Amino acid sequence: MAKGYQYKKYTRSKFGSVVYFMFLLLAGAFSVLPLVYCIATSFKPLDELLVYPPRFFVRRPTLTNFIEIPALLGKMTVPVTRYFLNSVFITVVSTLLQIVFASMAAYVLSKSKIKFKTVFFLIIQFSLLYNATTLAIPQYLILTNLHLIDTIWVYILPTLASTTGVFLIKQYIDASIPDTLLEAARIDGAPPFRIYLNIVMPNIKPAWMTILLFAFQGVWSVSPTAGTIYSEELKTLPYVMTSVAAGGLARQGSAMACTVLLLIPPVIVYFVTQSNVMQTMSSAGIKE
Amino acid sequence: MNKSEVKIKKDSVMNNETFIHYMMIAPFALFFFVFTVLPVLYSIVLSFFSYDMLSSPKFAGTANYFRMFVTDDVFWKTALNTLKFAVITGPIGFLISFILAWFINEFNPVVRNILAFLFYVPTLAGNAYFVWQIAFSGDSYGYINSFLLKFGFISEPVNWFSNTTYNMAVLVLIQLWLSMGVSFLANISGLQNSNVELYEAGAIDGIRTRWQELWYITLPSMKSILLFSAVMQIQSSFSIGAIEQALAGYPSTDNSVDTIVSMIGDIGTVRYEMGYAAALSVFLFAVMAITRVLIGKVMDSLGK
């Protein structure tokens, strides 16, 4: 993949490269400084949180803010393990089902001869435009009609049909799995589901790893649409963070500590999936 | 076995196979219909009704649309704000994400991966935007205020989220911070995989600067990825609203940063005027669809 980089040097001036590097550095700083601040503040002792004028970095780092979290959360009506389990349950179930549903549908749309598959794919491609935010009110009405309000399913069900997932996996199958490979298995009498499971899935690992990243980061930080969750015991970790942050300036350290802890899982998933994501995205084009 | 028997056997295998294929697409199709297609259809129907979720819907003709376009001043304010956010964070966010991806692509893979992570991390952080609340805090403890006070740019702290001169700019900045998402990754990937021979041929044909190379070779060769990135950018830039609501409140001062999405939330889940909320949703869907079609046309003409 790095080969392009060698040839293109022809059109590059040294001065230009320095200017671009400076630009990247500035933009990069703008991008990460808020999070660096977040991490720095999570290690600040109380007097440094209240100092005026405020300081960006920490002078005498301490773990107090992290140690205080259980005590702070102990004051909540529901044990914090409950929020944690809710978040983990929602994230695991939704991510897993998104991958299974999207990859099965993508396989059928790419390799089967079922009717209307072209039209169906065009509809999916167009629906990439609309996400849960823009569909919130009608989805709320549908959840109400299905009597699902104030159940854990309001977090999960609306996310299950990932249009981005089907789109990216289908494009990847189109680009990487030749028909002849599947034809051989078909002649040997392998049923479609077996072909999907034993041949297609192992070969499109980059594609479903990509959906793993997008699904995970989407669901992990989700807050329910207004009006869909009332019960305290059905709330999730991002809600806990918000309520700690609401404690004002003195609680800032602990709020930041919560944010840092919440950021760890998606960052790990990002590093695990990164190279796969790049590979998948190269076939992500919309052709019209 | 004679020929016709073979054919019958093959047919039944095909039918069985087709059946399994339908079964495999069914779970996605079901949830896609219930939570994406149905919401759009439902909104269109409901937009002609008056419905408060207590009594059954009453047919209202075009009353909701009349209210939206003619009598409701707030609608035009939020529509204009949505447009401002979309125009700035959409094309500018898209341009920045492309330029950053293009620059990043110049480096060796290790540096490239580190840089990509640095730009993508705000998207991963999800709820961390409230850090900006501290930076732009309205009292003198806010970083920006304390900095500006120290150097004498301002004489008293500015309330960044309620002051109508600044709040739009501040929120646009935060949205740009969050805008290096899926489209950014797609752009990096598209650039990495563009065809090397094209660049060699270009050099022979007299392409001398990186800008010429970008315009004549790179952009036309990754048109379809650019369209995907653009669609992702439209999706996110028109759904702006939640962060504005969290930081500036709803309604914000003179509705200065309220968007259609936050207005729909208020009309729907606070006032339970579902018919009107549906009409607003239909308007949003339509504007997004039109934008999508226009951008498809622009991309198509790229490099021609």
Side-chain angles (χ1 to χ4, degrees):
Chain A
M1 257 194 248
K3 26 186 209 291
Y5 159 76
Q6 316 266 335
Y7 290 102
K8 280 187 279 172
K9 279 195 165 165
Y10 188 77
T11 49
R12 301 300 184 262
S13 68
K14 198 142 208 174
F15 173 73
S17 298
V18 171
V19 172
Y20 293 131
F21 190 70
M22 296 310 287
F23 175 86
L24 269 182
L25 215 61
L26 277 175
F30 170 69
S31 181
V32 286
L33 277 183
L35 294 164
V36 172
Y37 172 76
C38 206
I39 295 167
T41 306
S42 70
F43 291 105
K44 280 179 188 169
L46 188 61
D47 58 314
E48 280 191 47
L49 290 172
L50 301 174
V51 74
Y52 184 86
R55 285 200 206 104
F56 191 89
F57 287 110
V58 51
R59 298 273 165 94
R60 292 168 291 109
T62 160
L63 285 174
T64 320
N65 294 318
F66 289 89
I67 296 163
E68 268 182 2
I69 295 174
L72 275 176
L73 299 177
K75 290 177 194 145
M76 303 185 105
T77 49
V78 174
V80 70
T81 45
R82 182 65 203 242
Y83 300 105
F84 178 75
L85 287 176
N86 286 343
S87 276
V88 171
F89 178 78
I90 293 163
T91 309
V92 170
V93 172
S94 166
T95 306
L96 208 72
L97 290 180
Q98 278 189 56
I99 293 173
V100 174
F101 290 0
S103 58
M104 288 196 307
Y107 161 67
V108 173
L109 289 171
S110 175
K111 297 298 178 195
S112 79
K113 295 188 178 77
I114 65 166
K115 280 177 192 166
F116 308 118
K117 66 169 192 172
T118 320
V119 178
F120 190 43
F121 186 65
L122 282 176
I123 296 171
I124 292 170
Q125 192 169 292
F126 200 81
S127 306
L128 286 173
L129 273 183
Y130 303 118
N131 59 16
T133 312
T134 36
L135 297 170
I137 286 295
Q139 282 190 350
Y140 167 71
L141 291 171
I142 288 164
L143 290 167
T144 309
N145 285 327
L146 295 172
H147 302 288
L148 290 169
I149 295 298
D150 210 29
T151 66
I152 199 120
W153 303 108
V154 299
Y155 294 101
I156 298 174
L157 299 188
T159 64
L160 292 186
S162 161
T163 47
T164 319
V166 172
F167 176 77
L168 290 177
I169 300 178
K170 195 255 180 192
Q171 299 298 73
Y172 194 80
I173 296 178
D174 282 355
S176 67
I177 308 258
D179 288 342
T180 45
L181 182 70
L182 305 183
E183 204 50 45
R186 254 178 100 229
I187 288 164
D188 288 347
F193 191 75
R194 181 135 299 191
I195 294 178
Y196 154 79
L197 202 64
N198 294 350
I199 301 175
V200 177
M201 282 307 266
N203 276 304
I204 58 159
K205 186 176 162 226
W208 52 259
M209 289 286 266
T210 304
I211 309 315
L212 173 69
L213 172 69
F214 293 155
F216 186 95
Q217 73 180 52
V219 199
W220 180 250
S221 62
V222 79
S223 335
T225 313
T228 53
I229 291 287
Y230 300 105
S231 308
E232 195 62 29
E233 62 267 23
L234 289 175
K235 288 177 177 167
T236 53
L237 286 177
Y239 168 80
V240 175
M241 192 201 69
T242 326
S243 55
V244 173
L249 204 55
R251 289 274 170 264
Q252 228 184 67
S254 298
M256 295 299 179
C258 289
T259 310
V260 171
L261 293 178
L262 272 181
L263 184 57
I264 294 170
V267 167
I268 292 173
V269 175
Y270 177 82
F271 279 110
V272 172
T273 55
Q274 189 202 30
S275 61
N276 294 300
V277 174
M278 293 301 172
Q279 214 176 322
T280 308
M281 288 305 206
S282 62
S283 57
I286 297 179
K287 290 170 190 80
E288 284 193 333
Chain B
M1 234 189 290
N2 63 38
K3 263 187 177 173
S4 71
E5 262 176 313
V6 172
K7 194 173 180 296
I8 289 164
K9 183 131 194 283
K10 216 176 169 192
D11 274 355
S12 79
V13 167
M14 280 303 288
N15 286 337
N16 185 30
E17 192 178 274
T18 309
F19 175 74
I20 295 172
H21 282 150
Y22 278 118
M23 286 293 102
M24 288 174 77
I25 205 172
F28 173 82
L30 173 72
F31 286 100
F32 176 66
F33 180 76
V34 175
F35 291 103
T36 302
V37 178
L38 195 60
V40 174
L41 300 179
Y42 195 19
S43 300
I44 295 172
V45 174
L46 202 60
S47 70
F48 296 102
F49 284 82
S50 159
Y51 181 42
D52 60 4
M53 295 188 75
L54 293 172
S55 42
S56 50
K58 281 186 216 56
F59 185 70
T62 54
N64 290 319
Y65 289 97
F66 184 79
R67 175 177 167 191
M68 182 160 87
F69 291 123
V70 182
T71 56
D72 193 344
D73 294 336
V74 176
F75 166 74
W76 287 110
K77 284 184 185 170
T78 60
L80 193 65
N81 290 336
T82 305
L83 197 69
K84 281 185 195 164
F85 276 120
V87 165
I88 300 173
T89 63
I92 294 183
F94 179 73
L95 212 64
I96 296 176
S97 90
F98 180 80
I99 291 175
L100 286 177
W102 187 47
F103 288 174
I104 284 175
N105 197 41
E106 307 270 303
F107 295 92
N108 68 54
V110 177
V111 180
R112 191 165 64 205
N113 284 346
I114 294 171
L115 287 170
F117 174 71
L118 294 186
F119 291 113
Y120 191 69
V121 75
T123 309
L124 282 176
N127 294 306
Y129 64 83
F130 82 93
V131 177
W132 291 99
Q133 197 166 18
I134 296 158
F136 284 103
S137 170
D139 52 31
S140 51
Y141 272 97
Y143 280 78
I144 309 292
N145 273 335
S146 108
F147 177 83
L148 293 175
L149 284 168
K150 193 170 158 193
F151 292 98
F153 289 109
I154 51 173
S155 53
E156 52 188 88
V158 174
N159 208 332
W160 297 102
F161 294 112
S162 57
N163 185 320
T164 53
T165 321
Y166 304 111
N167 58 2
M168 175 63 88
V170 169
L171 288 165
V172 162
L173 195 73
I174 298 173
Q175 292 294 349
L176 284 176
W177 179 67
L178 279 168
S179 66
M180 301 300 122
V182 181
S183 56
F184 172 64
L185 297 180
N187 286 338
I188 298 181
S189 177
L191 285 164
Q192 274 173 32
N193 292 285
S194 49
N195 196 340
V196 176
E197 281 101 54
L198 285 177
Y199 291 99
E200 291 169 326
I204 295 163
D205 286 345
I207 281 179
R208 286 295 169 266
T209 69
R210 63 178 103 198
W211 295 100
Q212 285 176 344
E213 190 181 275
L214 175 71
W215 186 253
Y216 291 109
I217 302 175
T218 313
L219 286 181
S221 74
M222 55 182 288
K223 249 187 219 178
S224 61
I225 296 244
L226 289 175
L227 183 54
F228 172 73
S229 312
V231 168
M232 290 290 122
Q233 209 75 35
I234 302 171
Q235 185 213 72
S236 56
S237 61
F238 277 97
S239 34
I240 285 175
I243 292 174
E244 286 56 37
Q245 214 166 329
L247 296 177
Y250 188 94
S252 53
T253 323
D254 293 333
N255 301 104
S256 51
V257 291
D258 300 337
T259 63
I260 294 194
V261 162
S262 50
M263 184 180 176
I264 292 172
D266 176 63
I267 301 281
T269 50
V270 178
R271 303 190 207 184
Y272 293 101
E273 296 179 81
M274 290 302 175
Y276 190 41
L280 290 165
S281 301
V282 172
F283 174 78
L284 185 63
F285 298 153
V287 172
M288 290 174 76
I290 292 167
T291 313
R292 161 73 177 80
V293 172
L294 290 178
I295 285 177
K297 293 239 187 310
V298 172
M299 292 286 173
D300 198 41
S301 64
L302 208 76
K304 267 184 189 164

